[in-house]
Amino acid sequence: YVAEDGRVRARAARRDVHGRDGSARARNGAAGARNGAAARSRRDVSTLILLRHGQSIWNGTTATFTGWVDVPLTERGRSQAREAGELLLERGFGDKITKVFTSELSRAWETASLAIAGVSDGPEIVRDARLNERHYGCVQGVCKRDATLLRYFGEDNVKSWRRSMHGRPPPLDESHPHWRAPPAPTTESLADCQERVLECYEERVLPALFEKPAATVLVAAHSNTLRALMAHVDGVPDDAVPSLHVPNSVPNSV
């Protein structure tokens, strides 16, 4: 659930001490008060659901550094998005999603649209570039297992880009086929990505979680943006963040 300080915390039961005279009536009254408070708490808890986009044409066996390149979902990815919606329905979120946030990249936006199509009555979908995937600089569009890439930059460098918080690939420039004009970045570390994601979280997602009691907010985005957000709300140490696994199109409520 989301506490007032903006951190997502695990649900925990509280027990107050009442009826110190030991009487059954005092104990029963205390139990009733606790049960009532617990019921009110359950009604007022806000839920944040995180959903990575379905499989894109650059996922799978030909895994490619995708970043800000706007590649579409595969048919399997669209099926995964619909299945995510079915799972949300099974979990009781059919009419509870109050707002949806997603990136400006079509693979995330389409996943969000397909997932909520059958589970909720038209919640607002907000697109924000700060939820875009981490920018991979000049290696965007290159296969992650490309032998030439590994020889040219070195396996240790490539590993640091993928498996550390602060490693950055070399930036791209206007000659690159996947160049985007500012304000798009030219490269990012995972820490850079986390900074903009948390800015979006504080400015847009968190207020939406408090707009009404028991709000349910869906964030449909990308592996690194969700990894960065999960690390923040769960207090994951920097050295463990790159190892957080975010599977395609599996909703996770926190």
Side-chain angles (χ1 to χ4, degrees):
Y1 71 94
V2 180
E4 290 184 358
D5 63 358
R7 299 292 293 244
V8 178
R9 305 185 185 278
R11 291 179 174 84
R14 291 184 179 180
R15 183 173 62 191
D16 297 325
V17 179
H18 294 285
R20 297 189 183 191
D21 61 358
S23 69
R25 181 175 180 179
R27 290 195 300 272
N28 289 340
R34 288 196 299 272
N35 290 339
R40 288 193 298 275
S41 176
R42 284 194 297 271
R43 287 196 298 270
D44 293 343
V45 165
S46 292
T47 302
L48 176 63
I49 302 171
L50 305 180
L51 178 66
R52 183 186 175 191
H53 63 79
Q55 184 191 67
S56 79
I57 62 171
W58 282 3
N59 292 144
T61 56
T62 58
T64 300
F65 288 108
T66 309
W68 283 45
V69 183
D70 198 12
V71 299
L73 296 177
T74 63
E75 283 305 316
R76 181 185 178 194
R78 294 185 181 93
S79 295
Q80 289 173 330
R82 296 185 189 98
E83 289 166 5
E86 293 170 4
L87 186 56
L88 290 172
L89 190 61
E90 290 174 9
R91 291 183 179 179
F93 292 108
D95 58 353
K96 295 181 180 178
I97 298 174
T98 50
K99 188 166 285 188
V100 179
F101 293 93
T102 189
S103 78
E104 290 191 342
L105 300 173
S106 60
R107 58 191 185 274
W109 180 85
E110 187 177 9
T111 296
S113 300
L114 291 171
I116 67 169
V119 301
S120 199
D121 187 20
E124 181 184 5
I125 300 179
V126 179
R127 300 174 76 166
D128 193 312
R130 291 174 295 183
L131 294 175
N132 282 10
E133 178 59 292
R134 172 192 171 187
H135 197 292
Y136 276 106
C138 73
V139 298
Q140 289 194 154
V142 178
C143 179
K144 295 176 181 178
R145 301 184 185 90
D146 186 277
T148 303
L149 171 77
L150 298 176
R151 284 196 304 270
Y152 186 81
F153 290 107
E155 290 191 27
D156 288 344
N157 280 329
V158 175
K159 183 178 179 180
S160 76
W161 304 338
R162 300 185 61 193
R163 299 300 177 207
S164 74
M165 281 293 288
H166 300 285
R168 285 191 194 95
L172 50 68
D173 59 26
E174 294 182 29
S175 66
H176 196 283
H178 300 302
W179 160 264
R180 282 193 178 198
T186 56
T187 188
E188 286 182 311
S189 66
L190 185 52
D192 297 329
C193 176
Q194 184 181 55
E195 183 177 354
R196 60 172 165 84
V197 169
L198 294 185
E199 183 181 86
C200 178
Y201 173 74
E202 296 288 345
E203 290 183 7
R204 308 191 83 164
V205 178
L206 192 57
L209 286 163
F210 289 101
E211 280 182 353
K212 59 180 69 176
T216 298
V217 174
L218 172 67
V219 175
H222 308 267
S223 58
N224 283 299
T225 48
L226 296 179
R227 186 177 286 126
L229 183 55
M230 291 164 59
H232 171 72
V233 298
D234 288 335
V236 178
D238 279 4
D239 60 352
V241 175
S243 299
L244 290 175
H245 181 53
V246 186
N248 288 102
S249 214
V250 178
N252 179 32
S253 61
V254 292

